[in-house]
């Protein structure tokens, strides 16, 4: 653990990524205490200060109804991170289990499961999410559902590939000879070897989930106002370019910063854990 | 049958299964939602009779299998139903809007390959030195934001602050161009209208760059990673031992073996642009299928949604097949299977 | 007799975070024209990096610190520029590699690679001329149906066939020096023996000098005129093959020769223990120089 941290620290970009992620996570967790205007995540209006450019009072300016954009961005981070965690908590185990069994059991189980996975993987990610949100009510829960449904196949395929190549390895054959059950071999023998790849992908995926979720809400298909969301903030502000540029630019940069941090961290993890690309 | 042909047939078969699967998936989700699709589509002022009529027309009261049956039957006749949004056949809507999206996505795809791959080669050739570091950071930044963020930034910088490019649309209204292919860049040339061509080009550049940016970054990173791996291979050391020029080794002997594993993912990135087109078309008011798609989704226009999703999935499938064929052509290990001599 | 290769006091170190790691501690060796000299030692002894310094490849590595004099054919190549050294590669000196199949580019035909090699000598050579010459050279190494082989890819041919292709390529431009890095290690023992005979015949015909790097004592004994024994970046013994095998002087050499050879693998015997005697000064056998 200490050694990993030291390797991470030796690579300045990974360290920067770690710092970014830590800052963002802390900001999201401590949101109610650190935001300058804690009530502005809801349906609050303050027309006296509506549509103000960035100033000492509002570092990132205010939106059309007078809410502080910096505060709303921090709350939006909260929502994005929660979304990411929920989506990954469900889709990763689901996908991993499917992939494990398909990869190890083989036979018709493998064919059926992988064909099913292929159907999901065959549609571009955003298109599938859009299509699903299009026929569902736009709420946070549904957005989580839609993204989860389109996410698990990636983990299924990832774990499947590893399980399939590990299937022939010595330690698996040894366990079979001893008479270990399929479940035991899958979970106790093969799965640990998949963990580095899974962890790396999860880190990178946090960023990707943020991109997909903000894209959905940009189109109006995700979280609805007044809940603060980075994508919908950019969408609202897009109509007022270039005059009220801060409406779109700051939320957009907030997305960039968060995803960049997770990507840097994920890349660093990949190097440490020695995962193939 | 040549192995290439066999590959093609197998791919087509899988793609057919996949398309069917996707259609079933969307079909089921659309009809399983809570709420009445007919009522949502007609809006809050609809009368009970209107809703009943629409429900009958859409076969909404029958079993889902029967509904799917109707859908397939109609599909066989090339009928995707009527769009409640435009009040005309969905097929007509697709025919009108699809070329704009395809043109944008193809242009972006070309940018992705033409810019991304050489940058990746450069990065690999100078690995560990400052051009490599800069390129790696820039590539990572470019994949770290969704396309609409890049679209907004590009629009601000190059359409507003530096008014080099136009803000929205495909071409100025003053140009009346006959529609031959639907691709403005081609049609303007066919019509011999040079000014219109330049105008169309100016309109497409910003959206295409916004669409292509993350793909460029991906392609660069991928190419670099594969080439760095290739550079460690014995056959590159042999090329160096024979004194081949480093630039030649980079462009030819290291690049081709690196390209092959990249192709699958480049194909996926290209297809992902089909999804990102939704975002870019919204920002630049580009009159394409994706913008139509968002409109019909917000209106719960079931037929139009199905049609749009199917066409996009079909495009994705075609792109995948082309990529697979390209891989088979480029990689002799897949193309050939016999041993020669002993 | 003239010396085709003369290395004097070659030192090599790699600069890392912890400072300079020294790999070669002042190696000196020479090869006369037409001689076949072997560099023998365990993995990590420094023989492979020596070959790459001769070729000029290691000088490209930024962390490498090289000192000492290397002369090739009377010219001091240690002071040459990178491009001057590159000009010698493939023309005046060439190398064959351990695993012939992986040393050939998998996505280009044999012919494509061969013709490119031939163009190192004659840059403007036309495709037809080059292909014809390549076919002739393949026939010289007893490859049946050369034109079919030229159109094939490395993965379609057997290891032994690829080894012949590599030998043909390496000698095609009539280099003065051939560096052979563990040739045939990746092949069957019988195929290895065949290709070594082939190599020996060809270099004798062409008058090519050879630096053979090996950890296989059997191969060395069959092939080399003189031997340098390397231990941890130092030459510990040198002399004619017969002398070294007959009367090994240095403790390390004796340990090598007396250790039980492994049946599997490349045949280098495992030296059972490390002794301080291995650090004893170099033993030179009087020999024809």
């Amino acid at each position: 653990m200490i050694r990993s941290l030291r390797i991470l620290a030796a690579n300045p970009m990974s360290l920067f990524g770690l710092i970014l992620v830590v800052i963002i996570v802390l900001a999201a967790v401590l949101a109610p205490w650190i935001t300058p205007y804690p009530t502005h995540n809801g349906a609050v209006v303050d027309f006296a200060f509506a549509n103000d450019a960035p100033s000492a009072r509002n570092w990132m300016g205010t939106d059309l109804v007078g809410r502080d954009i910096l505060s709303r961005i921090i709350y939006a981070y909260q929502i994005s991170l929660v979304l990411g965690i929920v989506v990954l908590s469900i889709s990763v185990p689901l996908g991993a289990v499917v992939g494990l069994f398909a990869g190890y059991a083989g036979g018709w189980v493998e064919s059926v499961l992988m064909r099913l996975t292929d159907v999901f993987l065959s549609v571009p990610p955003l298109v599938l999410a859009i299509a699903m949100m299009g026929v569902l009510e736009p709420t946070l829960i549904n957005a989580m559902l839609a993204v989860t449904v389109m996410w698990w196949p990636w983990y299924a395929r990832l774990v499947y590939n590893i399980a399939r190549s590990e299937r022939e390895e010595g330690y698996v054959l040894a366990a079979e000879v001893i008479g270990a059950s399929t479940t035991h071999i899958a979970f106790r023998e093969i799965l640990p070897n998949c963990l580095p790849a899974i962890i790396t992908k999860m880190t990178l995926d946090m960023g990707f989930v943020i991109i997909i979720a903000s894209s959905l809400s940009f189109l109006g298909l995700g979280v609805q106002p007044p809940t603060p969301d980075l994508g919908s903030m950019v969408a609202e502000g897009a109509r007022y370019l270039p005059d009220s540029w801060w409406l779109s630019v700051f939320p957009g940069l907030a997305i960039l910063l968060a995803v960049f941090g997770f990507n840097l961290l994920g890349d660093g993890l990949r190097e440490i854990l020695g995962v193939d690309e | 049958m040549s192995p290439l042909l066999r590959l093609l047939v197998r791919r087509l078969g899988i793609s057919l299964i996949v398309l069917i699967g996707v259609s079933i998936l969307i079909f089921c989700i659309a009809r399983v939602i809570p709420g009445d699709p007919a009522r949502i589509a007609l809006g809050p002022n609809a009368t009970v009779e209107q809703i009943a009529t629409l429900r009958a027309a859409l076969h909404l009261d029958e079993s889902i299998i029967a509904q799917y049956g109707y859908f397939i039957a109609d599909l066989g006749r090339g009928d995707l139903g009527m769009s409640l949004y435009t009040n005309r056949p969905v097929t007509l809507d697709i025919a009108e809007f699809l070329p704009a999206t395809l043109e944008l996505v193809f242009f972006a795809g070309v940018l992705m390959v033409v810019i991304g791959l050489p940058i990746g080669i450069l990065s690999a050739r100078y690995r560990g030195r400052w051009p490599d570091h800069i390129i790696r950071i820039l590539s990572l930044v470019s994949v770290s934001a969704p396309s609409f963020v890049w679209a907004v930034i590009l629009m601000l910088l190059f359409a507003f602050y530096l008014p080099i490019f136009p803000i929205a649309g495909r071409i100025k209204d003053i140009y009346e161009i006959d529609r031959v292919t639907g691709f403005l860049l081609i049609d303007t040339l066919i019509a011999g209208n040079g000014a219109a061509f330049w105008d169309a080009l100016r309109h497409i550049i910003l959206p295409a760059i916004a669409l292509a940016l993350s793909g460029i970054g991906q392609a660069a990173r991928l190419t670099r990673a594969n080439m760095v791996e290739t550079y460690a291979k014995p056959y590159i050391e042999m090329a160096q031992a024979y004194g081949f020029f480093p630039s030649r080794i980079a462009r030819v002997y290291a690049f081709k073996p690196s390209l092959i594993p990249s192709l699958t993912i480049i194909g996926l990135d290209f297809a992902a642009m089909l999804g990102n087109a939704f975002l870019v078309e919204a920002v630049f008011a580009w009159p394409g299928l994706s913008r139509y798609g968002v409109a019909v989704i917000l209106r719960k226009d079931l037929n139009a949604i199905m049609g749009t999703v199917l066409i996009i999935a079909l495009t994705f499938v075609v792109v995948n097949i082309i990529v697979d064929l390209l891989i088979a052509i480029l990689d002799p290990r897949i193309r050939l299977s016999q041993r020669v001599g002993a | 007799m003239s010396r085709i290769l003369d290395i004097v006091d070659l030192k090599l170190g790699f600069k890392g975070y912890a400072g300079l790691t020294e790999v070669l501690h002042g190696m000196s060796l020479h090869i006369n024209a037409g001689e076949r000299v072997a560099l023998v030692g365990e993995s990590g002894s420094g023989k492979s990096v020596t070959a790459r310094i001769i070729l000029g490849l290691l000088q490209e590595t930024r962390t490498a610190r090289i000192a000492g004099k290397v002369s090739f054919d009377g010219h001091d190549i240690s002071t040459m520029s990178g491009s001057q050294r590159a000009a010698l590669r493939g023309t005046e000196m060439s190398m064959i590699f351990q695993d012939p199949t992986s040393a050939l580019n998998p996505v280009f035909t044999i012919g494509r690679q061969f013709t490119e090699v031939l163009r190192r000598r004659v840059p403007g050579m036309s495709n037809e001329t080059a292909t014809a010459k390549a076919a002739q050279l393949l026939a010289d190494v007893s490859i049946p149906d050369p034109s079919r082989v030229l159109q094939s890819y490395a993965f379609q041919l057997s290891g032994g066939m690829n080894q012949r292709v590599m030998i043909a390529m390496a000698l095609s431009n009539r280099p003065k020096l051939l560096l052979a890095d563990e040739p045939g290690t990746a092949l069957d023992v019988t195929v290895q023996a065949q290709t070594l005979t082939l190599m020996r015949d060809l270099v004798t015909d062409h008058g090519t000098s050879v630096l053979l790097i090996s950890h296989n004592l059997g191969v060395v004994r069959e092939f080399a005129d003189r031997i340098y024994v390397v231990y941890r970046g130092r030459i510990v013994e040198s002399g004619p093959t017969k002398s070294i095998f007959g009367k090994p002087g240095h403790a390390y050499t004796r340990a090598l020769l007396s250790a039980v050879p492994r049946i599997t693998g490349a045949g280098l015997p495992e030296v059972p223990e490390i002794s301080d005697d291995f650090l004893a000064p170099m033993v030179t056998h009087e020999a024809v120089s």
Side-chain angles (χ1 to χ4, degrees), chain A residues 63-113:
Chain A
D63 69 357
L64 297 165
V65 294
R67 292 177 294 197
D68 177 47
I69 287 188
L70 175 59
S71 308
R72 284 179 65 76
I73 286 181
I74 296 179
Y75 276 111
Y77 271 148
Q78 215 178 35
I79 305 232
S80 304
L81 289 178
V82 165
L83 192 100
I85 292 175
V86 168
V87 165
L88 289 177
S89 312
I90 301 177
S91 56
V92 173
L94 179 59
V97 166
V98 169
L100 260 183
F101 277 110
Y104 179 58
W108 64 267
V109 171
E110 179 178 352
S111 306
V112 165
L113 285 178

Coordinates of all heavy atoms in Angstrom, one line a residue, chain A residues 63-113:
Chain A
D63 N -26.7 32.6 -11.6 CA -27.5 32.2 -12.7 C -28.7 33.1 -12.9 O -28.8 34.1 -12.3 CB -27.9 30.7 -12.6 CG -28.9 30.5 -11.4 OD1 -29.3 31.5 -10.7 OD2 -29.3 29.4 -11.2
L64 N -29.6 32.7 -13.8 CA -30.6 33.6 -14.2 C -31.6 33.9 -13.1 O -32.3 34.9 -13.2 CB -31.4 32.9 -15.4 CG -30.6 32.7 -16.6 CD1 -31.2 31.7 -17.5 CD2 -30.3 34.0 -17.3
V65 N -31.7 33.1 -12.1 CA -32.6 33.5 -11.0 C -31.8 33.9 -9.7 O -32.4 34.1 -8.7 CB -33.6 32.3 -10.6 CG1 -34.5 32.1 -11.8 CG2 -32.8 31.1 -10.3
G66 N -30.5 34.2 -9.9 CA -29.8 34.8 -8.8 C -29.0 33.8 -7.9 O -28.5 34.2 -6.9
R67 N -29.0 32.5 -8.3 CA -28.3 31.6 -7.4 C -26.8 31.6 -7.7 O -26.4 31.7 -8.9 CB -28.9 30.2 -7.7 CG -30.3 30.0 -7.1 CD -30.9 28.7 -7.4 NE -31.1 28.5 -8.9 CZ -31.8 27.5 -9.4 NH1 -32.5 26.7 -8.6 NH2 -31.9 27.4 -10.7
D68 N -26.0 31.3 -6.7 CA -24.6 31.3 -6.8 C -24.1 30.1 -7.6 O -24.5 29.0 -7.2 CB -24.0 31.4 -5.4 CG -22.4 31.3 -5.5 OD1 -21.9 32.0 -6.3 OD2 -21.8 30.5 -4.8
I69 N -23.4 30.3 -8.6 CA -23.0 29.2 -9.5 C -22.0 28.3 -8.8 O -22.1 27.0 -8.9 CB -22.5 29.7 -10.8 CG1 -23.7 30.2 -11.6 CG2 -21.8 28.6 -11.6 CD1 -23.5 30.6 -13.0
L70 N -21.1 28.9 -8.1 CA -20.1 28.0 -7.4 C -20.7 27.1 -6.4 O -20.4 25.9 -6.4 CB -19.1 28.9 -6.6 CG -18.0 28.2 -5.8 CD1 -17.2 27.3 -6.6 CD2 -17.1 29.2 -5.1
S71 N -21.7 27.6 -5.7 CA -22.4 26.7 -4.7 C -23.1 25.6 -5.5 O -23.1 24.4 -5.1 CB -23.4 27.4 -3.9 OG -22.8 28.6 -3.3
R72 N -23.8 25.9 -6.5 CA -24.5 24.9 -7.3 C -23.6 23.9 -7.9 O -23.9 22.7 -8.0 CB -25.4 25.6 -8.4 CG -26.6 26.3 -7.7 CD -27.4 27.0 -8.8 NE -28.0 26.1 -9.7 CZ -29.1 25.3 -9.5 NH1 -29.6 25.3 -8.3 NH2 -29.6 24.5 -10.4
I73 N -22.4 24.3 -8.3 CA -21.5 23.4 -8.9 C -21.0 22.4 -7.8 O -21.0 21.2 -8.1 CB -20.2 24.1 -9.5 CG1 -20.6 24.8 -10.8 CG2 -19.1 23.1 -9.7 CD1 -19.5 25.5 -11.4
I74 N -20.8 22.9 -6.6 CA -20.4 21.9 -5.6 C -21.5 20.9 -5.3 O -21.2 19.7 -5.1 CB -19.9 22.7 -4.3 CG1 -18.7 23.5 -4.6 CG2 -19.6 21.7 -3.2 CD1 -18.2 24.4 -3.4
Y75 N -22.7 21.4 -5.2 CA -23.8 20.5 -5.0 C -24.0 19.5 -6.1 O -24.3 18.4 -6.0 CB -25.1 21.3 -4.8 CG -25.3 21.7 -3.3 CD1 -25.2 23.0 -3.0 CD2 -25.5 20.8 -2.3 CE1 -25.4 23.5 -1.7 CE2 -25.6 21.2 -1.0 CZ -25.6 22.5 -0.7 OH -25.7 22.9 0.6
A76 N -23.7 20.0 -7.3 CA -23.8 19.2 -8.5 C -22.8 18.1 -8.4 O -23.0 16.9 -8.9 CB -23.7 20.0 -9.8
Y77 N -21.6 18.4 -7.9 CA -20.6 17.4 -7.8 C -21.1 16.3 -6.8 O -20.9 15.1 -7.1 CB -19.3 18.0 -7.1 CG -18.3 18.5 -8.1 CD1 -17.5 19.6 -7.8 CD2 -18.1 17.9 -9.3 CE1 -16.6 20.1 -8.7 CE2 -17.2 18.4 -10.2 CZ -16.4 19.5 -9.9 OH -15.5 20.0 -10.8
Q78 N -21.8 16.7 -5.8 CA -22.4 15.7 -4.9 C -23.2 14.7 -5.6 O -23.1 13.5 -5.5 CB -23.2 16.5 -3.8 CG -23.2 15.9 -2.5 CD -24.0 16.8 -1.5 OE1 -25.0 17.3 -1.9 NE2 -23.6 16.8 -0.3
I79 N -24.1 15.3 -6.4 CA -25.1 14.4 -7.1 C -24.3 13.5 -8.1 O -24.6 12.4 -8.2 CB -26.1 15.3 -7.9 CG1 -26.8 16.2 -6.9 CG2 -27.0 14.4 -8.7 CD1 -28.3 16.2 -7.0
S80 N -23.4 14.1 -8.8 CA -22.6 13.3 -9.8 C -21.9 12.1 -9.1 O -21.9 11.0 -9.6 CB -21.6 14.2 -10.5 OG -22.2 15.3 -11.1
L81 N -21.3 12.4 -8.0 CA -20.5 11.4 -7.3 C -21.4 10.3 -6.8 O -21.2 9.1 -6.9 CB -19.7 12.0 -6.2 CG -18.5 12.8 -6.7 CD1 -17.7 13.3 -5.5 CD2 -17.5 11.9 -7.5
V82 N -22.6 10.7 -6.3 CA -23.5 9.7 -5.8 C -24.0 8.8 -6.9 O -24.1 7.6 -6.8 CB -24.7 10.4 -5.1 CG1 -25.9 9.5 -4.9 CG2 -24.3 11.0 -3.8
L83 N -24.3 9.5 -8.0 CA -24.8 8.8 -9.2 C -23.7 7.7 -9.6 O -24.0 6.6 -9.9 CB -25.0 9.7 -10.4 CG -25.7 9.1 -11.6 CD1 -27.2 9.5 -11.5 CD2 -25.1 9.6 -12.8
G84 N -22.5 8.2 -9.7 CA -21.4 7.3 -10.1 C -21.2 6.1 -9.2 O -21.1 5.0 -9.6
I85 N -21.3 6.4 -7.9 CA -21.1 5.3 -6.9 C -22.2 4.3 -7.0 O -22.0 3.1 -7.0 CB -21.0 5.9 -5.5 CG1 -19.7 6.7 -5.4 CG2 -21.0 4.8 -4.5 CD1 -19.5 7.4 -4.1
V86 N -23.5 4.8 -7.1 CA -24.6 3.9 -7.2 C -24.5 3.1 -8.4 O -24.6 1.8 -8.4 CB -25.9 4.7 -7.2 CG1 -27.1 3.8 -7.6 CG2 -26.2 5.3 -5.8
V87 N -24.3 3.7 -9.6 CA -24.2 3.0 -10.8 C -23.1 1.9 -10.8 O -23.4 0.8 -11.2 CB -23.9 4.0 -12.0 CG1 -23.5 3.2 -13.2 CG2 -25.2 4.8 -12.3
L88 N -22.0 2.3 -10.3 CA -20.9 1.3 -10.3 C -21.1 0.2 -9.3 O -20.8 -0.9 -9.5 CB -19.5 2.0 -10.0 CG -19.0 2.9 -11.2 CD1 -17.8 3.6 -10.8 CD2 -18.8 2.0 -12.4
S89 N -21.7 0.6 -8.1 CA -22.0 -0.5 -7.1 C -22.9 -1.6 -7.6 O -22.8 -2.7 -7.2 CB -22.6 0.1 -5.9 OG -21.9 1.3 -5.5
I90 N -23.7 -1.2 -8.5 CA -24.7 -2.2 -9.1 C -24.1 -2.9 -10.3 O -24.0 -4.1 -10.4 CB -26.0 -1.6 -9.4 CG1 -26.6 -1.0 -8.2 CG2 -26.9 -2.7 -10.0 CD1 -27.9 -0.3 -8.5
S91 N -23.6 -2.1 -11.2 CA -23.2 -2.7 -12.5 C -21.9 -3.5 -12.4 O -21.8 -4.5 -13.1 CB -23.1 -1.6 -13.6 OG -22.2 -0.6 -13.1
V92 N -21.0 -3.1 -11.5 CA -19.7 -3.8 -11.5 C -19.9 -5.2 -11.0 O -19.5 -6.2 -11.6 CB -18.7 -3.1 -10.7 CG1 -17.5 -3.9 -10.5 CG2 -18.3 -1.8 -11.3
P93 N -20.6 -5.4 -9.8 CA -20.8 -6.8 -9.4 C -21.6 -7.6 -10.4 O -21.3 -8.8 -10.7 CB -21.6 -6.7 -8.1 CG -21.2 -5.3 -7.6 CD -21.1 -4.5 -8.8
L94 N -22.7 -7.0 -10.9 CA -23.5 -7.7 -11.9 C -22.7 -8.1 -13.1 O -22.7 -9.3 -13.5 CB -24.7 -6.7 -12.3 CG -25.6 -7.3 -13.3 CD1 -26.3 -8.5 -12.8 CD2 -26.7 -6.2 -13.7
G95 N -22.0 -7.2 -13.7 CA -21.2 -7.5 -14.8 C -20.1 -8.5 -14.5 O -19.9 -9.5 -15.3
A96 N -19.5 -8.4 -13.4 CA -18.4 -9.3 -13.0 C -18.9 -10.7 -12.9 O -18.2 -11.7 -13.4 CB -17.7 -8.8 -11.7
V97 N -20.0 -10.9 -12.2 CA -20.6 -12.2 -12.0 C -20.9 -12.8 -13.4 O -20.5 -14.0 -13.7 CB -21.8 -12.2 -11.1 CG1 -22.6 -13.5 -11.2 CG2 -21.4 -11.9 -9.7
V98 N -21.6 -12.0 -14.2 CA -21.9 -12.6 -15.6 C -20.6 -13.0 -16.3 O -20.5 -14.0 -16.9 CB -22.7 -11.5 -16.4 CG1 -22.8 -11.9 -17.8 CG2 -24.1 -11.3 -15.8
G99 N -19.7 -12.1 -16.3 CA -18.4 -12.3 -17.0 C -17.7 -13.5 -16.5 O -17.2 -14.4 -17.2
L100 N -17.7 -13.7 -15.1 CA -17.0 -14.8 -14.5 C -17.6 -16.1 -15.0 O -16.8 -17.0 -15.4 CB -17.1 -14.7 -13.0 CG -15.9 -14.2 -12.2 CD1 -16.2 -14.2 -10.7 CD2 -14.7 -15.0 -12.5
F101 N -18.9 -16.2 -14.9 CA -19.5 -17.5 -15.2 C -19.4 -17.8 -16.7 O -19.1 -18.9 -17.1 CB -20.9 -17.5 -14.8 CG -21.0 -17.9 -13.3 CD1 -21.4 -17.0 -12.4 CD2 -20.7 -19.2 -12.9 CE1 -21.5 -17.4 -11.0 CE2 -20.7 -19.6 -11.6 CZ -21.1 -18.7 -10.6
A102 N -19.6 -16.7 -17.5 CA -19.4 -16.9 -18.9 C -18.0 -17.4 -19.3 O -17.8 -18.3 -20.1 CB -19.8 -15.7 -19.7
G103 N -17.0 -16.7 -18.6 CA -15.7 -17.0 -19.0 C -15.2 -18.4 -18.5 O -14.4 -19.1 -19.1
Y104 N -15.7 -18.7 -17.3 CA -15.2 -20.0 -16.7 C -16.0 -21.2 -17.1 O -15.5 -22.2 -17.4 CB -15.1 -19.9 -15.2 CG -14.6 -21.1 -14.5 CD1 -13.3 -21.6 -14.9 CD2 -15.4 -21.8 -13.6 CE1 -12.9 -22.8 -14.3 CE2 -14.9 -23.0 -13.1 CZ -13.7 -23.5 -13.4 OH -13.2 -24.6 -12.8
A105 N -17.3 -21.0 -17.1 CA -18.2 -22.2 -17.3 C -18.1 -22.6 -18.8 O -18.0 -23.8 -19.0 CB -19.6 -21.9 -16.9
G106 N -18.0 -21.7 -19.6 CA -18.0 -22.0 -21.1 C -19.2 -22.7 -21.6 O -20.3 -22.5 -21.0
G107 N -19.2 -23.3 -22.7 CA -20.3 -24.0 -23.2 C -21.4 -23.1 -23.6 O -21.2 -21.9 -24.0
W108 N -22.7 -23.5 -23.5 CA -23.8 -22.7 -23.9 C -24.0 -21.5 -23.0 O -24.5 -20.5 -23.4 CB -25.0 -23.5 -24.1 CG -25.6 -24.1 -22.8 CD1 -25.3 -25.3 -22.2 CD2 -26.4 -23.5 -21.8 NE1 -25.9 -25.5 -21.0 CE2 -26.6 -24.4 -20.8 CE3 -27.1 -22.2 -21.8 CZ2 -27.5 -24.1 -19.7 CZ3 -27.9 -21.9 -20.7 CH2 -28.1 -22.8 -19.7
V109 N -23.6 -21.7 -21.7 CA -23.7 -20.5 -20.8 C -22.9 -19.4 -21.4 O -23.3 -18.2 -21.4 CB -23.1 -20.9 -19.4 CG1 -23.0 -19.7 -18.5 CG2 -24.0 -22.0 -18.8
E110 N -21.7 -19.7 -21.8 CA -20.8 -18.7 -22.4 C -21.5 -18.0 -23.6 O -21.5 -16.8 -23.7 CB -19.5 -19.3 -22.8 CG -18.5 -18.3 -23.4 CD -17.2 -19.0 -23.7 OE1 -17.0 -20.2 -23.3 OE2 -16.3 -18.4 -24.3
S111 N -22.0 -18.8 -24.5 CA -22.5 -18.3 -25.7 C -23.7 -17.4 -25.4 O -23.8 -16.2 -25.9 CB -23.0 -19.4 -26.6 OG -22.0 -20.3 -26.9
V112 N -24.6 -17.8 -24.6 CA -25.8 -17.1 -24.3 C -25.5 -15.7 -23.6 O -25.9 -14.7 -24.1 CB -26.8 -17.9 -23.4 CG1 -27.9 -17.0 -22.8 CG2 -27.5 -19.0 -24.2
L113 N -24.7 -15.8 -22.6 CA -24.4 -14.6 -21.8 C -23.6 -13.6 -22.7 O -23.9 -12.4 -22.6 CB -23.5 -15.0 -20.6 CG -24.3 -15.6 -19.4 CD1 -23.4 -16.0 -18.3 CD2 -25.4 -14.7 -19.0

